[in-house]
Amino acid sequence: MESIKQVSLVTLTNMPKLSDQKADEHANERRMYLAKRIPQFVANHDLFKNAKAEITFFTEGISSLVCSIEVCGKKTVLKIPLSTTHAVGEPQFLQEWEKAGVHVPHVIETGSIDEHQYMLMEHIDTPTLNKVYSKKELLERGIYFNMGKTLKMMHEPVGKGYGRVIDG
C-alpha cells in the first residue's frame, strides 16, 4: 500500500476512518488531531526509535483512535480514547484480567499524548469469532459456553475507579 506520510522512519499507511454524521464532527476533529501526533510519538518512543515503523489505523470503533505499529515484523497496538474522562482504568482492568488467566492483550505501557491517556499493548493477530464461525457453529462447538467461563473469570477481580460517577 502506498504510504500517505512519512516522519523520519515512520510511515502512515492510511488515515483514520471518519464518520459522515454531523453529530460526530467533534469526535472526527479529535481523531484527526490525535492522528497527527502519533508519527512523532512513535519516532521519539524508545521502543521504536531508529527503526522503520509502519502505522495503520483500525477502521472499526468509534470511542477511541486505535492503530497498529509494526516494527521489524512485530506489531503493537496504540489505543487512545477520544474522551479525556471516559475509559479511565481500562489498562488496570486488562492487567487484572491477565492475572486472572484471561487471554487479553498485554499492556506494555500507559501514558498521555497531550491530555489524552493512551495504552500501548501487544497486538493479538486473530480474526474475531463472528468472522470465523456462524452463530450455529459457535453454539455447536461450545464456544459460547467457554465465553461464559471467561466472562466469569473477568468478573472475579475487584476493581476501583473504572468509569464515571453518574449519581453520587
Side-chain angles (χ1 to χ4, degrees):
M1 175 178 253
E2 185 177 44
S3 51
I4 295 173
K5 185 177 179 183
Q6 185 163 348
V7 173
S8 103
L9 300 170
V10 178
T11 304
L12 292 175
T13 63
N14 66 348
M15 290 304 287
K17 184 178 176 183
L18 302 177
S19 170
D20 56 0
Q21 302 298 316
K22 181 105 173 118
D24 294 329
E25 277 182 16
H26 183 67
N28 285 343
E29 289 170 8
R30 210 170 261 215
R31 193 177 306 281
M32 292 308 297
Y33 170 84
L34 290 166
K36 290 176 184 174
R37 278 144 185 77
I38 291 174
Q40 198 63 42
F41 168 83
V42 171
N44 293 327
H45 197 285
D46 288 340
L47 286 176
F48 313 117
K49 242 183 208 173
N50 302 319
K52 283 187 173 185
E54 187 173 282
I55 299 170
T56 304
F57 291 98
F58 292 6
T59 58
E60 296 180 16
I62 57 170
S63 63
S64 297
L65 179 63
V66 184
C67 64
S68 71
I69 305 166
E70 185 170 355
V71 175
C72 299
K74 183 178 179 190
K75 290 182 183 179
T76 54
V77 172
L78 178 65
K79 180 177 182 181
I80 309 169
L82 296 179
S83 170
T84 57
T85 58
H86 300 310
V88 173
E90 183 179 6
Q92 292 83 2
F93 268 85
L94 287 175
Q95 291 165 335
E96 289 302 315
W97 291 335
E98 184 176 27
K99 288 178 195 172
V102 178
H103 187 67
V104 296
H106 174 71
V107 176
I108 298 167
E109 74 172 34
T110 60
S112 62
I113 297 175
D114 296 337
E115 73 276 9
H116 293 270
Q117 297 299 308
Y118 73 81
M119 176 173 44
L120 185 64
M121 58 190 148
E122 79 171 314
H123 181 269
I124 299 177
D125 194 15
T126 187
T128 57
L129 290 173
N130 66 336
K131 292 183 180 176
V132 178
Y133 301 109
S134 68
K135 288 182 181 180
K136 182 181 177 187
E137 289 173 311
L138 289 169
L139 281 169
E140 289 172 350
R141 293 173 175 261
I143 294 172
Y144 282 135
F145 178 76
N146 288 329
M147 289 170 66
K149 289 177 17 183
T150 300
L151 190 59
K152 179 183 180 275
M153 289 169 52
M154 291 171 77
H155 283 88
E156 287 175 356
V158 176
K160 290 183 182 178
Y162 185 76
R164 59 190 167 124
V165 177
I166 294 179
D167 185 3

